[in-house]
Amino acid sequence: MSTLKEEEYISPIYVTKPYLPNEEKYKDYISKIFRSGHLTNHGPLVRELEERLAEFLGVNRLLLVSNGTLALQVAYKLLGLRDEVITTPFSFIATSSSLAWQGLTPVFADIDERSFNINANEIEDKITERTTGIVPVHVFGNACEIAKIEEIAKRYKLKVVYDAAHAFDVKYKGQNILNYGDISTLSFHATKIFHSIEGGALIINDEETYRRARSTIDFGIQGPDVIQGIGINAKMNEFQAAMGLCVLDDIKKIMKNRKDIYKRYHEAFAGQEEIQVQRINQDCSQNYSYFPIVLRSEECLIRVKQSLEQNKIFPRRYFHPSLNTIDYLKSPSMDKSESLSKRILCLPMYDSFNIFDQLRVIRIVKEAI
Ligand code: T4K
C-alpha cells in the first residue's frame, strides 16, 4: 500500500509548458539537415519558415532572428535610435534592458491599469528634444492605443518599434497588428504560443530598411568581400527553423485549445469582486497567450501564490517588479505600473493544460481569496 500523500504524486504544473510537436516529424527535418550539411546562415529551412510565417501572418517583410531580444536590439539600430526612448515600465525586462544595452536611455511613461499597456496620454509629457523613439508593448497580446501612438509619433517625428513579443497572430482593425509602427518584433521563445525553441522576428514596414536588416543580422556582410554598415550575428539556425516549421503545422489546434482554457478562466473570474482581468482592446482579436489575474493587494497575491505552490502549481509574477524600480533603470515612480506589478499573477496557460487541473487551479485561487 502506498503511503504517498496527495501532493506527493501530483506532478507539478508550471505557468506554461512548451508545445512539443510530433517527434518523428521533427526528426525528419533533422535528417534533412544532416544530409544537406546546411546548419545555419539563412539555410533552406529558415527560408521556408520565413515564407510560411509571412503568409500565415499576412505581413510583407518578415526577417527571422535568433531571439526576441536581438530582434529589438537590431530594430533600434536599424532605425538609428539615439538618446532617449519612451517605453513602458510594465513589461518583461528585455524591453528595457535591450534599450540600455544599446546605450539608449529608457524613459518610462506610466500605464493604463486596465489594459496593462502604456497610456498614450502619458507619452507626450515625456518627449524632450533628446527623444528619438517610442517602444510600446502589446502586453499579453492586447493591442496598445495604436492610433494615438502613431499620431504622436508622426507629430514629433519619432520612430515606433512595437515590442509584439506576445502578439503572435493578433489582428488589429482587420489586419495583422505587426503591420503597425516602423518595426514590430516577435519572440519565438519556447514558452510562447508559436516557438522555435529560441527565436524571434522583425516585421519591417520600409523596403530599404528591410534590405539593410538582412545584412545587419549577418555582421553587415552584403556579399563576397562587401561589408557595409555595422552588423551583428542575430541569425536563426536550421534546427530552430525545423522546430518552427513543425509547430506552425499545429498552430490552429494550439490556438483552439488555448481559447477553451482562456474562456474557462474568464467565466470563473471575470465579474468577481476581488479579481480584475485584463480589459481587451475592442479593435483587436486575442491569441490567448496568458491569463493574468489582478488581486486587491500584494498580501492577497502572496496568499494565492502560496496556496497554489503548496499544491505544486507554480504561477508567475509577470511582470514584477515594475521596470522603473530596477537599479540600472531607476527613474521616477510610476504609480499605476508599480501597483499593478505588485498585484498581478499569471496562471498556468498552455495548450495541453487539462480541464481537471484547471478546475483545481480555479478552486484553489477562489479559496485562497
Ligand atoms: N519582450 C517581451 C515583452 C517579452 O515577454 C520577452 C520574453 C522578450 C521581449 C524577449 O524575447 P526572447 O529574447 O526571450 O525571445 C520567459 C521567457 O524566457 C521569455 O521569452 C518571455 N518573454 C518571458 C515572459 O518569460 P522566464 O524567465 O519566466 O522563463 P522560465 O524559464 O522561468 O519558464 C517559465 C516556465 O515554463 C518554467 O517554470 C517551466 C516552463 N518551461 C520553460 C522552459 C524554458 C518548461 O517547461 N520548459 C522549458 O524549456 O522567461
Side-chain angles (χ1 to χ4, degrees):
M1 264 276 276
S2 164
T3 53
L4 285 179
K5 293 194 203 116
E6 189 185 6
E7 63 271 21
E8 285 171 315
Y9 60 77
I10 291 176
S11 4
I13 297 171
Y14 298 103
V15 68
T16 190
K17 187 172 181 177
Y19 179 77
L20 284 172
N22 179 284
E23 200 173 329
E24 290 312 311
K25 192 190 264 190
Y26 188 61
K27 283 181 182 162
D28 285 347
Y29 276 113
I30 302 306
S31 301
K32 262 194 202 171
I33 298 172
F34 271 72
R35 285 198 299 274
S36 74
H38 204 146
L39 310 189
T40 186
N41 285 7
H42 212 227
L45 298 183
V46 167
R47 289 201 297 272
E48 186 181 337
L49 183 60
E50 247 167 19
E51 264 174 42
R52 281 189 52 197
L53 270 177
E55 192 187 336
F56 176 81
L57 296 171
V59 300
N60 287 327
R61 286 174 283 271
L62 180 145
L63 184 73
L64 289 174
V65 289
S66 42
N67 62 60
T69 306
L70 272 168
L72 286 167
Q73 286 174 209
V74 168
Y76 308 150
K77 197 79 181 171
L78 286 168
L79 297 174
L81 298 191
R82 290 169 286 106
D83 302 327
E84 295 176 3
V85 176
I86 297 171
T87 188
T88 174
F90 186 74
S91 182
F92 188 59
I93 182 63
T95 312
S96 282
S97 62
S98 56
L99 287 165
W101 188 269
Q102 295 291 118
L104 302 162
T105 306
V107 174
F108 296 112
D110 211 351
I111 58 163
D112 175 298
E113 58 204 332
R114 299 302 311 272
S115 71
F116 311 161
N117 286 331
I118 194 166
N119 182 342
N121 295 327
E122 299 277 332
I123 294 176
E124 216 169 334
D125 273 358
K126 308 287 171 188
I127 298 175
T128 70
E129 67 283 358
R130 288 167 54 80
T131 310
T132 57
I134 311 173
V135 179
V137 180
H138 303 301
V139 176
F140 306 135
N142 187 27
C144 293
E145 297 173 276
I146 291 178
K148 272 194 195 169
I149 293 171
E150 307 279 287
E151 188 275 318
I152 294 168
K154 202 167 162 200
R155 197 146 37 89
Y156 289 90
K157 297 193 172 46
L158 302 174
K159 301 289 185 191
V160 180
V161 176
Y162 285 106
D163 179 345
H166 307 165
F168 185 84
D169 199 28
V170 169
K171 306 272 188 312
Y172 178 79
K173 296 199 170 167
Q175 64 162 309
N176 199 292
I177 198 164
L178 306 167
N179 287 322
Y180 294 88
D182 295 286
I183 296 179
S184 288
T185 64
L186 285 166
S187 162
F188 300 150
H189 183 261
T191 55
K192 300 293 191 299
I193 293 183
F194 169 79
H195 79 89
S196 55
I197 309 173
E198 293 270 0
L202 292 96
I203 291 79
I204 302 174
N205 245 326
D206 172 62
E207 177 65 36
E208 189 276 326
T209 311
Y210 177 68
R211 255 186 276 120
R212 238 171 351 104
R214 282 235 166 265
S215 61
T216 300
I217 65 161
D218 188 18
F219 312 99
I221 296 172
Q222 292 209 335
D225 313 316
V226 186
I227 295 170
Q228 203 153 43
I230 188 162
I232 196 166
N233 181 0
K235 289 163 286 152
M236 178 178 274
N237 68 51
E238 291 290 280
F239 294 84
Q240 291 174 286
M243 179 59 82
L245 286 165
C246 293
V247 177
L248 191 57
D249 282 343
D250 299 341
I251 196 72
K252 290 257 158 66
K253 179 188 78 182
I254 297 172
M255 307 265 282
K256 155 89 182 64
N257 291 349
R258 280 174 165 273
K259 182 175 180 177
D260 294 343
I261 296 159
Y262 183 98
K263 282 194 156 169
R264 223 173 280 133
Y265 271 142
H266 200 268
E267 272 163 30
F269 294 130
Q272 290 254 326
E273 216 181 304
E274 303 85 351
I275 295 178
Q276 181 200 320
V277 296
Q278 187 177 25
R279 181 190 283 158
I280 304 301
N281 185 324
Q282 290 303 301
D283 289 323
C284 90
S285 66
Q286 281 178 270
N287 66 6
Y288 314 104
S289 46
Y290 294 85
F291 199 90
I293 54 171
V294 183
L295 298 152
R296 274 200 173 154
S297 63
E298 190 167 24
E299 294 73 52
C300 182
L301 176 140
I302 288 166
R303 202 164 59 239
V304 169
K305 187 164 173 278
Q306 281 174 349
S307 295
L308 289 167
E309 284 170 357
Q310 277 157 13
N311 287 278
K312 288 213 219 163
I313 298 162
F314 300 96
R316 285 300 278 267
R317 297 185 73 174
Y318 294 140
F319 298 105
H320 179 260
S322 182
L323 298 179
N324 60 295
T325 65
I326 289 182
D327 57 357
Y328 67 91
L329 299 168
K330 254 217 164 30
S331 67
S333 60
M334 295 276 129
D335 295 348
K336 302 240 161 63
S337 176
E338 285 172 44
S339 163
L340 180 69
S341 278
K342 287 184 184 135
R343 297 181 292 119
I344 191 163
L345 193 64
C346 280
L347 298 178
M349 180 76 183
Y350 46 90
D351 84 294
S352 59
F353 190 32
N354 73 60
I355 184 167
F356 303 105
D357 284 338
Q358 188 181 9
L359 294 177
R360 209 153 56 83
V361 170
I362 292 169
R363 177 176 52 77
I364 295 166
V365 170
K366 284 188 171 170
E367 281 172 8
I369 285 166

